[in-house]
Amino acid sequence: MAGDFFVKLAGRAEIHGSAVVNLGAAIYALTAIGWFYAMKFVKLSSLGVIYAVATVLFVVLLGVFYFHEKLNVYEIVALSWP
């Protein structure tokens, strides 16, 4: 999720630098290592659901509050769907 932040940040017009891209890639790599460790203790089906929900919520909040992206009606309905 933090890797997504830095990749998005690197894609912005104001920021062009390999340091931000490298930071995003490093965070993705650390996430992969954490994923392997978590799989030792949690069932894959449970871990997949937790990861998916956390990723969606974090990325939406990051997009709205940091990058000032607007959600349309369809996105709001999709997020509020049970």
Side-chain angles (χ1 to χ4, degrees):
M1 292 176 270
D4 295 329
F5 170 76
F6 287 106
V7 169
K8 173 72 174 179
L9 197 60
R12 292 180 76 177
E14 307 90 41
I15 298 174
H16 292 298
S18 61
V20 178
V21 174
N22 290 339
L23 183 58
I27 291 172
Y28 273 120
L30 290 173
T31 302
I33 293 168
W35 182 259
F36 290 123
Y37 183 76
M39 282 188 181
K40 291 173 67 174
F41 303 104
V42 181
K43 293 188 306 182
L44 179 60
S45 57
S46 299
L47 193 59
V49 171
I50 292 167
Y51 180 76
V53 171
T55 299
V56 168
L57 293 177
F58 180 74
V59 169
V60 167
L61 292 173
L62 193 60
V64 170
F65 292 110
Y66 186 83
F67 293 107
H68 305 289
E69 298 174 345
K70 304 285 186 218
L71 295 177
N72 63 37
V73 174
Y74 299 111
E75 292 165 333
I76 293 170
V77 169
L79 288 169
S80 63
W81 193 260

